[in-house]
Amino acid sequence: MSRYVYSIVRCLPDPRTGEFVNIGAIAGDPITGRWAVRQLSNTERIRRFAGGPALEAAASCLLALGEEIDQNQAALMEDEAEPLNEEWLAKLHRDHRNIVQFSEPAPILADDPQEALAFVFDQLIIDPVTPSKEPHITKYALRRSLREAFKQALIQENLIRTKVEIFVGARVHTPIDFAIANGRVVQLTQAWSFQLAQVEDVPMKVKAWGYALERLRRGEEARVIDSVGRTSTINPNVDLQVVIAPPQTRQQRDAFEEAQQVFQNLSAEVHDLTEVSAVTSKAAELAQTLR
């Protein structure tokens, strides 16, 4: 077990009275920067106590917090940021003194952020719905595994382009996790996790991503630009791979089925993490054509 720190997120309809209700918690390892956020499954009691606007403010805060964590983890993978540390959590405690407040950070022993949150919810927060005990795979974990798999496939480092953007036509563009390219793109790979607690946003993001790829498939002029500004051409029939963390709950399965329609329309090959070698093996073959 390792030392983690946590803070309980509270919703206060009137901060002057000091009355609050717990809405969720955040926990993480301040050394590695592995953090997780969890919200109460049933918020009806919070709505009755605090009112709709206060609940929406607290939920939006938790969502923004999760996005900040995801962005930091993505930057860590590229060695472009420092891990979110204990002072970051302490600053959240100091700065949030209105409708949303964070309890003073406290230490806890756990094997991962989810286990730390499970203890906090079991002991300190009443949640009538207990989430699955199965480990959840995040988009960050998928991208990290893919990056390692590409290296193990012995693909030249300069051909593995990360954090690229595809531009289609004059106005449409979307980010892509990985491109195998060197002036010409031979493969695109995108990671999607369907194991998120708030998975309902994923199909919408997939559709926005798919809109640009659909226009590419229709033959519109396109180009790919990587994080250092290198431009590569791209063929409408480019190999398109999708790696997913498969759904575990009915809600997650519903989200995946909706997204799957987009993948099928794009003729994308879909794999889970256990099949990632199929993606990188094909990438290695296609990379030979770039030399």
Side-chain angles (χ1 to χ4, degrees), residues 207-252:
K207 290 175 183 177
W209 167 85
Y211 176 69
L213 274 296
E214 182 182 12
R215 293 182 60 162
L216 168 70
R217 289 299 202 212
R218 291 204 304 257
E220 293 193 36
E221 184 178 353
R223 66 193 187 280
V224 169
I225 302 178
D226 66 20
S227 58
V228 295
R230 294 173 295 189
T231 301
S232 296
T233 61
I234 185 167
N235 188 285
N237 297 318
V238 68
D239 182 58
L240 179 59
Q241 302 286 332
V242 172
V243 177
I244 67 166
Q248 297 175 326
T249 67
R250 188 174 72 175
Q251 184 183 25
Q252 292 169 356

Side-chain angles (χ1 to χ4, degrees), residues 112-131:
D112 56 49
Q114 286 75 24
E115 183 179 282
L117 285 174
F119 178 84
V120 171
F121 269 69
D122 287 345
Q123 301 297 320
L124 302 173
I125 300 177
I126 300 173
D127 191 357
V129 180
T130 302

Side-chain angles (χ1 to χ4, degrees), residues 5-9 24-27 89 93 101-106 117 120:
V5 290
Y6 73 89
S7 177
I8 296 174
V9 185
I26 176 174
L89 185 59
H93 165 65
Q101 297 187 10
F102 291 73
S103 67
E104 187 173 358
L117 285 174
V120 171

Side-chain angles (χ1 to χ4, degrees), residues 68-230:
E68 181 178 359
I69 291 169
D70 288 344
Q71 291 171 4
N72 179 255
Q73 290 180 337
L76 286 175
M77 193 172 71
E78 304 295 335
D79 295 325
E80 296 177 353
E82 294 295 323
L84 298 174
N85 56 26
E86 194 164 348
E87 174 55 28
W88 170 74
L89 185 59
K91 190 172 187 299
L92 290 175
H93 165 65
R94 293 194 301 267
D95 292 351
H96 287 75
R97 312 306 298 170
N98 207 321
I99 293 175
V100 181
Q101 297 187 10
F102 291 73
S103 67
E104 187 173 358
I108 187 174
L109 291 177
D111 288 325
D112 56 49
Q114 286 75 24
E115 183 179 282
L117 285 174
F119 178 84
V120 171
F121 269 69
D122 287 345
Q123 301 297 320
L124 302 173
I125 300 177
I126 300 173
D127 191 357
V129 180
T130 302
S132 169
K133 297 296 184 181
E134 296 183 37
H136 300 301
I137 302 173
T138 64
K139 181 179 173 69
Y140 166 71
L142 288 172
R143 294 182 68 234
R144 182 177 57 192
S145 297
L146 272 167
R147 187 182 180 92
E148 291 302 316
F150 279 125
K151 290 181 179 179
Q152 291 174 11
L154 302 180
I155 302 172
Q156 290 183 18
E157 182 72 21
N158 68 303
L159 301 182
I160 306 171
R161 308 289 172 87
T162 61
K163 297 174 62 178
V164 306
E165 194 98 3
I166 181 170
F167 292 81
V168 185
R171 299 177 180 275
V172 178
H173 60 93
T174 192
I176 302 289
D177 290 328
F178 294 94
I180 304 301
N182 188 16
R184 176 171 60 91
V185 179
V186 294
Q187 186 189 76
L188 298 176
T189 302
Q190 188 76 7
W192 295 103
S193 176
F194 292 90
Q195 296 184 4
L196 306 177
Q198 296 177 329
V199 74
E200 59 272 9
D201 291 338
V202 177
M204 181 177 63
K205 293 179 180 179
V206 171
K207 290 175 183 177
W209 167 85
Y211 176 69
L213 274 296
E214 182 182 12
R215 293 182 60 162
L216 168 70
R217 289 299 202 212
R218 291 204 304 257
E220 293 193 36
E221 184 178 353
R223 66 193 187 280
V224 169
I225 302 178
D226 66 20
S227 58
V228 295
R230 294 173 295 189

